């Protein structure tokens, strides 16, 4: 049985990490074999590339350099972690994946959409998420949650306009792929967000059980 590939997306500070752990616990408590990971990162090489990407630097990082670093990390992540886990039948919960590249690099930085499509084909072949949860909140809400933590990384230093474009791109992607996306209102209390997540969690559990019983 092939596992399920679930991704969590959204702008900065919307609660992805907090809620990924919540979903992981829910699935594990219900007997699902689940592993969590993140992008950029998820492998030793990927985590080193993550540091490079987030570090504030004197020189301007070109959009193409940023894009290729993200896909270099992803290539390692797919081959070393994601594909083997799916082949073993595990549920992979991933904090951001390629939809983030469309949102940040295309929406935010203005990279051409088909450039990312080409890299996606090259690096992932047929691998796409089965379900994507988009945590959505007004940009100012996420920014103030994230900024409560202190020092800002290279992405967090971008201005409000950049994050508005990122949010707009995510919402557009969700609209254009409504079969895969589950839109979560992340601007409300954590309890309320997690109630919404339980509905999606229930759906994932059913899909998982269906697959298990077929195999
Ligand atoms: N990036 C990219 O450009 N292209 C790509 O392809 C990929 C990534 C994959 C790092 O990602 C950067 O990489 C990212 C885009 C770029 N930069 N940005 N911005 P990241 O996922 O590590 O970075 P992040 O989005 O900044 O994650 P984050 O700041 O850790 O946010 P989060 O995981 O969404 O939120 P959280 O840590 O779970 O919650 C933030 C705080 O809010 C925390 O104190 C919570 O307790 C609180 N919180 C959460 N939910 C609530 C609710 N509902 N109410 C009140 N308080 C809440």
């Amino acid at each position: 049985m092939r596992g399920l590939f679930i991704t969590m997306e959204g702008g900065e500070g919307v609660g992805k990490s907090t809620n990924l752990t919540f979903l992981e616990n829910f699935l594990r408590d219900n007997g699902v074999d689940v592993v969590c990971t993140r992008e950029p990162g998820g492998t030793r090489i990927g985590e080193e590339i993550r540091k490079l990407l987030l570090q504030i630097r004197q020189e301007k990082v070109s959009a193409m350099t940023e894009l290729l670093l993200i896909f270099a990390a992803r290539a390692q992540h797919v081959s070393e972690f994601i594909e083997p886990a799916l082949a073993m039948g595990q549920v992979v919960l991933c904090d951001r994946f390629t939809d983030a590249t469309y949102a940040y690099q295309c929406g935010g930085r203005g990279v051409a959409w088909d450039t990312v499509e080409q890299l996606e084909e090259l690096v992932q072949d047929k691998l796409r998420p089965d379900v994507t949860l988009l945590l959505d909140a007004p940009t100012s809400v996420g920014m103030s949650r994230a900024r409560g933590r202190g020092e800002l990384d290279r992405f967090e230093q971008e201005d409000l306009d950049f994050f508005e474009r990122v949010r707009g791109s995510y919402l557009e992607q969700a609209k254009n792929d409504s079969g895969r996306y589950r839109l979560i209102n992340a601007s409300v209390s954590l309890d309320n967000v997690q109630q919404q997540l339980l509905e999606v969690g229930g759906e994932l559990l059913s899909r998982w059980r269906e697959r298990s019983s077929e195999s």
Side-chain angles (χ1 to χ4, degrees):
M1 178 189 90
R2 187 172 165 83
L4 284 173
F5 184 31
I6 314 299
T7 56
M8 183 86 84
E9 297 282 359
E12 66 157 344
V14 289
K16 294 177 304 301
S17 317
T18 310
N19 289 306
L20 200 83
T21 305
F22 176 80
L23 192 58
E24 177 193 12
N25 290 337
F26 168 80
L27 292 172
R28 187 157 291 141
D29 290 348
N30 282 283
V32 177
D33 184 5
V34 54
V35 286
C36 276
T37 187
R38 68 171 180 182
E39 286 214 349
T43 63
R44 281 174 67 175
I45 292 174
E47 291 295 327
E48 285 177 36
I49 296 174
R50 179 187 177 90
K51 278 194 201 132
L52 261 180
L53 281 162
L54 299 193
Q55 205 172 60
I56 292 162
R57 311 184 65 87
Q58 300 234 300
E59 71 275 36
K60 184 176 170 0
V61 179
S62 86
M64 189 53 75
T65 305
E66 183 177 279
L67 177 69
L68 294 175
L69 283 172
I70 286 166
F71 269 103
R74 185 162 297 143
Q76 187 68 22
H77 196 201
V78 168
S79 68
E80 183 185 326
F81 187 90
I82 299 174
E83 280 293 3
L86 292 174
M88 283 189 338
Q90 294 181 301
V91 170
V92 177
L93 286 184
C94 189
D95 191 340
R96 298 192 185 280
F97 195 61
T98 307
D99 295 353
T101 315
Y102 286 109
Y104 282 81
Q105 280 61 53
C106 299
R109 304 263 191 244
V111 169
W113 189 269
D114 65 348
T115 303
V116 175
E117 275 179 340
Q118 285 172 34
L119 288 166
E120 185 178 33
E121 285 289 318
L122 185 71
V123 167
Q124 296 166 223
D125 192 16
K126 293 192 174 18
L127 176 70
R128 300 290 181 277
D130 294 292
V131 174
T132 297
L133 288 87
L134 175 58
L135 301 190
D136 179 62
T139 307
S140 55
V141 172
M143 278 174 97
S144 76
R145 283 184 196 157
R147 273 141 216 241
R149 287 180 308 207
E151 229 174 271
L152 304 181
D153 65 35
R154 198 172 60 80
F155 287 95
E156 289 167 346
Q157 291 202 323
E158 294 295 337
D159 60 15
L160 186 68
D161 271 6
F162 176 88
F163 289 107
E164 291 288 5
R165 292 197 297 280
V166 168
R167 183 182 183 210
S169 169
Y170 270 133
L171 289 171
E172 189 70 20
Q173 292 182 63
K175 198 174 87 186
N176 293 336
D177 196 355
S178 56
R180 169 164 67 92
Y181 267 89
R182 304 291 177 275
L183 188 60
I184 308 283
N185 176 4
S187 65
V188 292
S189 72
L190 195 52
D191 268 0
N192 188 314
V193 172
Q194 294 182 340
Q195 281 308 312
Q196 300 173 62
L197 282 181
L198 285 180
E199 278 182 34
V200 183
E203 180 201 334
L204 296 177
L205 201 54
S206 307
R207 281 175 79 157
W208 161 263
R209 285 179 175 153
E210 252 168 53
R211 282 199 186 186
S212 306
S213 65
E214 281 163 10
S215 64

